[in-house]
Amino acid sequence: MNGDWLLRGRDGRLTVYLPSGDAVLCRAERGPAGPWEDAPRTVGGSQKLHPGAAVGQGADGYAHLAAWRPTVPGESGLVHSTHFRPGLAPLDWVPIGHPDQKGDRTGPPAVAVDGAGRGYVFVRNKGGGVSLRNQKVKGGWGGWLDLEGHDVQGELAAVTGESGFVEVYASVPGGILHWRQEGDGKKPVRTEGVDVPVRPGTLRALATSAEHTTLFFTDASGDLCAWRPGEKPVTLLASAGPGPVSAVRCEIEGHDCTVLAQRSASGRVAFAAYPTEQESAGAWWTESGPPLPSDAMVSLALDEDGEVVAASLVPSTGTLLLTRRKDEPGLALEAWREI
């Protein structure tokens, strides 16, 4: 899943979105901090999907999902679904087409939701740039927009700033590209990127202030870095493992902090926290939980009380583990439990 697949709904309940063969499943708490549903639901009906779905969430709590599905032999198209509330069935998949009108998959999609609750689906096109299709102000979908760009690699990182405007980041050989909306419903425009040796597939973006979103990525030397457009990238600490981090903002002992989680090289989940946008304060990893297989994914969210919750998923076995922050100083976590 591209994006945070552990989400808190508008009623305070947590939901997980899980890849499973040719489908995406969702499973929710029965009540905030309560037991979980026994069986997951299938997102979007019976359509078969290709692996690599994306998920994003709006300020209204609604989840938006996008995925590729096979159409005719050798070709695919993108589909979109909305999930309004945990416990309800997500809407059926709606076809939204192909950035090049037709063809096979061009790259994994990314999803963001603007301040008005409109979904934005970004994807690489056959020219190596980025294309976008988004929901319109008065309903329905606009046409595909070519945002240009070149040589895009790996997963895109889509994010919505505190302004409600959507941004997207992409890795290219030797650098990072960035697009940002300049107004409500406007086509995102490309801003100044940065030259940095980035590992494709390690991008994750987070809204960190009224002015900025912060992109986390791993550079060629294996360091986890943070970059805000208009500034220089900052090395935060050595990456705990090979994949992207999950990131969330929360209050810890009265301070606005950014919490990061990543499957470490040892297989356990590593956590780090530091004052938001103050990378110079430093951060360090603390590992937690049992060792996990190499395909394990990690996602962070905040519960109904604003406390950190972490989930790990092993797609090959379907094992889903969860932990929450204890009511103690620092980032102390409960024991991981299977749900």
Side-chain angles (χ1 to χ4, degrees):
M1 300 291 290
N2 185 11
D4 293 317
W5 47 268
L6 171 68
L7 299 177
R8 182 186 68 194
R10 61 187 305 167
D11 60 1
R13 289 190 286 170
L14 297 172
T15 300
V16 291
Y17 296 91
L18 315 173
S20 178
D22 57 7
V24 174
L25 307 179
C26 64
R27 188 178 171 200
E29 292 179 316
R30 296 184 185 276
W36 287 69
E37 296 170 339
D38 295 331
R41 303 167 183 261
T42 299
V43 174
S46 60
Q47 294 185 41
K48 295 185 182 300
L49 307 175
H50 288 299
V55 62
Q57 186 179 37
D60 53 15
Y62 300 162
H64 290 245
L65 299 99
W68 287 102
R69 64 160 183 169
T71 52
V72 299
E75 297 191 6
S76 300
L78 285 160
V79 289
H80 170 273
S81 174
T82 307
H83 193 191
F84 294 113
R85 186 166 59 84
L88 292 180
L91 297 183
D92 287 346
W93 292 112
V94 174
I96 57 173
H98 193 287
D100 305 307
Q101 296 188 343
K102 65 178 182 178
D104 206 349
R105 290 169 286 173
T106 53
V111 176
V113 185
D114 71 11
R118 299 182 290 254
Y120 287 64
V121 178
F122 298 91
V123 69
R124 186 174 68 242
N125 55 45
K126 68 178 181 181
V130 174
S131 290
L132 161 69
R133 194 171 188 193
N134 61 281
Q135 292 176 318
K136 297 188 295 186
V137 174
K138 296 183 179 180
W141 289 82
W144 281 101
L145 302 174
D146 186 354
L147 305 186
E148 302 182 344
H150 58 85
D151 301 319
V152 168
Q153 302 174 319
E155 294 180 337
L156 306 171
V159 63
T160 304
E162 290 187 5
S163 62
F165 300 155
V166 167
E167 303 180 36
V168 65
Y169 295 86
S171 63
V172 297
I176 297 171
L177 306 181
H178 174 244
W179 293 260
R180 177 173 54 208
Q181 278 185 315
E182 300 294 343
D184 182 44
K186 300 289 187 180
K187 177 182 178 179
V189 296
R190 187 170 158 189
T191 69
E192 185 176 353
V194 65
D195 293 330
V196 62
V198 58
R199 290 184 180 175
T202 65
L203 307 188
R204 185 58 55 89
L206 179 70
T208 49
S209 66
E211 298 81 20
H212 297 117
T213 62
T214 299
L215 179 74
F216 299 97
F217 66 93
T218 303
D219 68 12
S221 66
D223 287 332
L224 180 64
C225 303
W227 177 56
R228 284 178 285 280
E231 303 177 8
K232 292 183 178 180
V234 175
T235 299
L236 186 57
L237 75 172
S239 176
V245 297
S246 183
V248 71
R249 280 175 67 193
C250 65
E251 186 175 296
I252 299 178
E253 299 176 30
H255 299 284
D256 178 0
C257 292
T258 295
V259 177
L260 306 173
Q262 186 175 38
R263 181 190 176 273
S264 71
S266 73
R268 304 177 74 200
V269 179
F271 293 88
Y274 69 96
T276 297
E277 295 193 353
Q278 297 180 40
E279 287 81 12
S280 60
W284 55 92
W285 295 114
T286 300
E287 295 190 359
S288 174
L292 301 169
S294 60
D295 63 337
M297 309 185 304
V298 182
S299 191
L300 295 174
L302 300 181
D303 66 13
E304 74 283 2
D305 297 319
E307 298 291 356
V308 172
V309 183
S312 69
L313 171 70
V314 181
S316 58
T317 63
T319 303
L320 183 64
L321 303 177
L322 192 81
T323 185
R324 297 173 181 266
R325 182 177 174 234
K326 293 180 181 178
D327 187 15
E328 295 180 6
L331 191 58
L333 298 170
E334 298 176 350
W336 291 79
R337 60 186 180 89
E338 185 170 354
I339 59 172

